[in-house]
């Protein structure tokens, strides 16, 4: 009897399955941004090399696992833009959803994956909606847009493995810098164009609220982002208003 010898594609698939613990190939979301061999660091769970990042990540994990999260209907995942939601705006827009904030300043796509793989998505967490906003710091670390986009896709696929019924709302990476000449603008725009391909209108959805945070010439006001990156109270009001209807609809309200 002849032995079965997998071809190059079969070997690549087997290597990828082993590298990702055998779960990525079973996931179906974001087929437009498939895993590849080898995975870039942006798509691999990796602690971010920022002083005290691990300590802050562990603290957030303890907070997330210290209580029963079965009543959480919406979870927000991201970096400092997510962590820094102005409390009044947070309660106004999301308070009725028993929301969970998994934002961590300085984070990258690979850091989000590390946190999720290391306890920040406990078994009791089965939200209706997960809102994902991540990637602007990857631009600062000079990640390639396609690698950052793959990192976002891997986050979406991780959520599928833990809570298949959860709908994912991916947000386009917000614009940064005073105007359209800012060096991160093209990179963030390219990432946004790639990750919007994940949306299938069934389990994964896309919104691009960044368009509402700039004027007609692409300029950002300090009234909206005080440092041209982090929203002010006004900025969070604009951001919340831009996605509130999407969240409400996906949460079944």
């Amino acid at each position: 009897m002849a032995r079965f010898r997998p071809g190059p594609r079969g070997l690549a698939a087997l290597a990828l399955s082993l590298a990702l613990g055998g779960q990525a190939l079973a996931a179906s979301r974001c087929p437009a941004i498939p895993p590849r061999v080898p995975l870039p660091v942006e798509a691999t769970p990796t602690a971010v090399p920022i002083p005290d990042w691990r300590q802050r990540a562990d603290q957030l994990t303890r907070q997330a696992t210290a209580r029963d999260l079965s009543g959480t209907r919406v979870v927000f995942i991201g970096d400092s833009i997510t962590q820094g939601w102005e409390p009044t705006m947070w309660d106004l827009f999301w308070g009725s959803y028993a929301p969970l904030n998994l934002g961590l300043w300085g984070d990258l796509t690979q850091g989000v994956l590390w946190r999720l793989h290391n306890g920040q998505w406990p078994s009791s967490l089965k939200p209706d909606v997960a809102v994902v906003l991540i990637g602007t710091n990857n631009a600062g670390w000079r990640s390639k847009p396609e690698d950052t986009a793959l990192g976002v896709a891997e986050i979406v696929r991780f959520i599928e493995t833990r809570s298949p019924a959860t709908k994912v709302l991916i947000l386009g990476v917000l614009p940064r810098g005073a105007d359209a000449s800012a060096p991160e603008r093209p990179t963030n725009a390219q990432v946004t164009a790639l990750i919007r391909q994940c949306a299938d209108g069934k389990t994964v959805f896309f919104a691009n609220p960044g368009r509402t945070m700039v004027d007609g010439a692409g300029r950002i006001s300090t009234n909206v982002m005080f440092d041209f990156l982090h929203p002010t109270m006004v900025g969070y009001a604009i951001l919340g208003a831009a996605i509130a209807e999407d969240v409400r609809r996906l949460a079944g309200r």
Side-chain angles (χ1 to χ4, degrees), residues 117-185:
H117 278 271
N118 284 275
Q120 279 188 28
W121 193 288
S123 59
S124 65
L125 183 58
K126 304 291 182 184
D128 297 324
V129 185
V131 181
V132 178
L133 174 56
I134 191 69
T136 195
N137 290 326
N138 287 90
W141 286 66
R142 308 225 189 286
S143 294
K144 296 179 181 177
E146 59 269 26
D147 293 341
T148 300
L150 180 53
V152 174
E154 288 300 306
I155 292 168
V156 174
R157 286 190 272 265
F158 175 92
I159 295 169
E160 181 187 15
T161 64
R162 291 299 179 91
S163 183
T166 296
K167 294 181 174 65
V168 179
L169 177 61
I170 302 173
L171 302 186
V173 184
L174 301 184
R176 61 185 294 180
D179 55 40
S181 68
E184 296 88 357
R185 288 280 187 106

Side-chain angles (χ1 to χ4, degrees), residues 7-8 19 23-24 28 30 32 35 42 111 114 121 146 148 150 152-153 166 189 194 201 210 237-238 249-250:
Q23 65 182 11
S28 60
C30 290
E42 291 82 1
W114 188 95
W121 193 288
E146 59 269 26
T148 300
L150 180 53
V152 174
T166 296
L194 290 168
I238 295 171
R249 175 173 48 84
L250 297 178

